[in-house]
Amino acid sequence: MPSPVPTAHPEGVAITTTAHLPGVQTGTRFWPQGWWRLVDLQIGIIPLPVYLILVALLWVLTSEGEIKADAPTMIAVLVLGGFTCAEIGKRLPVLRQIGAGAIFATFIPSALVYYQLIPGSIVKAITDFTKFTNFLYLYIAAIIVGSILGMDRTVLIKGFLKIFVPLGLGSLAAGCVGTFVGTLLGLGAHHTFFFIVVPIMAGGVGEGAIPLSIGYGNILGLPEGDVFAQVLPVVMLGSLTAIILAGTLNWVGKRKPHLTGEGRLQPDTENDMQARAPVETGPIDAATVAAAGLTAVTLYLLGVMCHHLTGLPAPVAMLFLAVLAKLASAVSPRLQAGGFIVYKFVQVGMTYPLLFAIGVSLTPWDKLVAAFTIPNLITIVATVVTLMGTGYLVGRRLGMYPIETAIVNACHSGQGGTGDVAILTAANRMALMPFAQIATRIGGALTVTGTLVLLKWITKVG
């Protein structure tokens, strides 16, 4: 019998179907073809029959008091909860375009815990698992190292050379204007800068809000969950603002075509930032992927060592070590390819379960709701508008297309990779994705690192 045909999944996961196989008649009998079609229906990454079995099993285990904080049980609980909440967000019109999956995967469990709608035994097990297994740090290691190693080296170098000026000046201007506006609105310069302006430009959730929350918690002696609850809404609202403004710039570009290259940064170039074709490394086997995962863990442990020696948070130190290894060609192309597979696996399979775990154990709902205030909203909009406006003006001054540079700067205030896709989709500029990745990952990493160094120095001086 012919092998099943893999089809693309929106999250990048291959789904096996049999609809186009020769000799397989649809609608003729239930077993096995009808059953296969049922299995291919998925909620997130979970096949529908497996989803229903997990719901029944967890209900029975909860009723019998058998929910424990062991790895198999927690994998089932977090995957089920995370992808259920994310699927709800992804099916909502309009909101699904602004990262509603991530919002729901974090906010819904936080609210359910606050209103005591999740059994206490499950809440305790998730909390224990999250706090005592370093699940969070494993995610950070894989997502940061894998994403950096998976980037094209030429794209990384050219991106620095071409976009650094508008991105850097935009960040400085946004920091000043956002802090000034927040101070005028009574938020205080310290709170506005560290808890509103910086999170907007920190690089999203996994690469920004999470390591930023860890760093703030270590330096200020605050619970990481309380910090995360403050910065996460800011990240989401900053991304939403950037999406709306990017769509507006697309509308402006249709009416003033001399201001845009329709995806090209500079005149007289053809796809000047298009990534090179991937290096031919041959098939990537399981051993290479495992080696890449171990490399990520090793870099994280080196980051831990740097933390002990310098005080720099381990995830941030690890990120710079990964960038250095990439730029110095210290990692072979084959291992880089394996690292990118690790990154994609973690991104697809672990992000929503991790956000669910964070929502349950580390995100107080009352503090989360308190962050949605009019002064916060005005400060966020002022910060993003300044970031994009500066990119527009500086890009035009440097002979670049101003709409393109403004949109790249917008990605610096986006919700990580999800925000990049939403912003570039709204702007109809998906060709700018390499620049967007640099603005999000490298720009976010520089923002997080510089901010934590500054905060540590202020804390010591104070």
Side-chain angles (χ1 to χ4, degrees), residues 157-375:
I157 296 173
K158 289 183 177 179
F160 268 120
L161 296 175
K162 290 190 174 182
I163 203 62
F164 178 77
V165 175
L167 184 60
L169 292 178
S171 299
L172 292 174
C176 294
V177 173
T179 302
F180 177 73
V181 171
T183 303
L184 287 181
L185 294 174
L187 295 175
H190 184 278
H191 175 82
T192 300
F193 180 76
F194 287 105
F195 289 89
I196 298 179
V197 173
V198 169
I200 291 174
M201 299 182 289
V205 178
E207 298 93 335
I210 292 177
L212 197 64
S213 301
I214 295 171
Y216 283 0
N218 291 336
I219 295 172
L220 300 175
L222 298 174
E224 295 172 6
D226 291 356
V227 178
F228 187 75
Q230 292 186 62
V231 302
L232 182 63
V234 173
V235 173
M236 303 296 180
L237 292 174
S239 185
L240 173 59
T241 304
I243 292 167
I244 295 173
L245 293 177
T248 303
L249 284 179
N250 183 45
W251 178 82
V252 171
K254 299 298 183 186
R255 284 149 184 78
K256 298 183 180 294
H258 64 284
L259 297 176
T260 177
E262 293 294 338
R264 291 181 293 117
L265 269 184
Q266 299 182 108
D268 303 322
T269 59
E270 293 293 336
N271 296 324
D272 54 343
M273 194 52 195
Q274 186 175 5
R276 295 180 306 169
V279 178
E280 293 295 335
T281 58
I284 304 302
D285 56 17
T288 302
V289 175
L294 182 60
T295 301
V297 173
T298 302
L299 285 171
Y300 174 74
L301 292 177
L302 286 173
V304 173
M305 182 63 66
C306 290
H307 172 69
H308 287 296
L309 295 176
T310 66
L312 190 66
V316 178
M318 174 192 60
L319 190 148
F320 273 95
L321 290 172
V323 171
L324 181 62
K326 179 70 177 182
L327 295 180
S329 299
V331 181
S332 70
R334 186 175 183 83
L335 195 59
Q336 291 179 37
F340 187 70
I341 293 175
V342 171
Y343 160 73
K344 292 302 295 182
F345 172 80
V346 170
Q347 180 192 46
V348 171
M350 291 176 61
T351 298
Y352 293 126
L354 173 64
L355 290 177
F356 186 86
I358 291 173
V360 169
S361 61
L362 298 174
T363 310
W365 177 253
D366 51 346
K367 292 182 175 62
L368 189 64
V369 173
F372 289 86
T373 64
I374 296 300

Side-chain angles (χ1 to χ4, degrees), residues 409-431:
N409 272 21
C411 293
H412 188 32
S413 61
Q415 185 192 324
T418 301
D420 289 343
V421 173
I423 291 168
L424 296 182
T425 300
N428 194 28
R429 300 291 193 284
M430 197 57 70

Side-chain angles (χ1 to χ4, degrees), residues 379-404:
T379 304
I380 290 169
V381 171
T383 302
V384 178
V385 167
T386 303
L387 179 63
M388 296 178 64
T390 304
Y392 182 98
L393 295 175
V394 173
R396 190 169 190 176
R397 183 77 174 175
L398 294 177
M400 306 164 77
Y401 287 116
I403 286 181
E404 270 63 28

Side-chain angles (χ1 to χ4, degrees), residues 112-128:
L112 294 177
V113 170
Y114 181 77
Y115 293 109
Q116 300 181 355
L117 298 177
I118 297 180
S121 61
I122 293 182
V123 174
K124 183 179 184 305
I126 293 175
T127 302
D128 291 343

Side-chain angles (χ1 to χ4, degrees), residues 55-114:
V55 170
L57 284 174
L58 293 178
W59 181 81
V60 172
L61 290 173
T62 303
S63 301
E64 297 296 325
E66 292 296 325
I67 293 291
K68 295 181 174 60
D70 57 51
T73 304
M74 286 299 97
I75 288 174
V77 170
L78 297 180
V79 168
L80 186 67
F83 283 103
T84 298
C85 294
E87 195 70 17
I88 294 172
K90 290 179 180 180
R91 293 187 180 276
L92 295 177
V94 181
L95 290 179
R96 64 187 178 191
Q97 303 297 328
I98 60 172
I103 296 173
F104 274 52
T106 307
F107 292 1
I108 288 181
S110 176
L112 294 177
V113 170
Y114 181 77

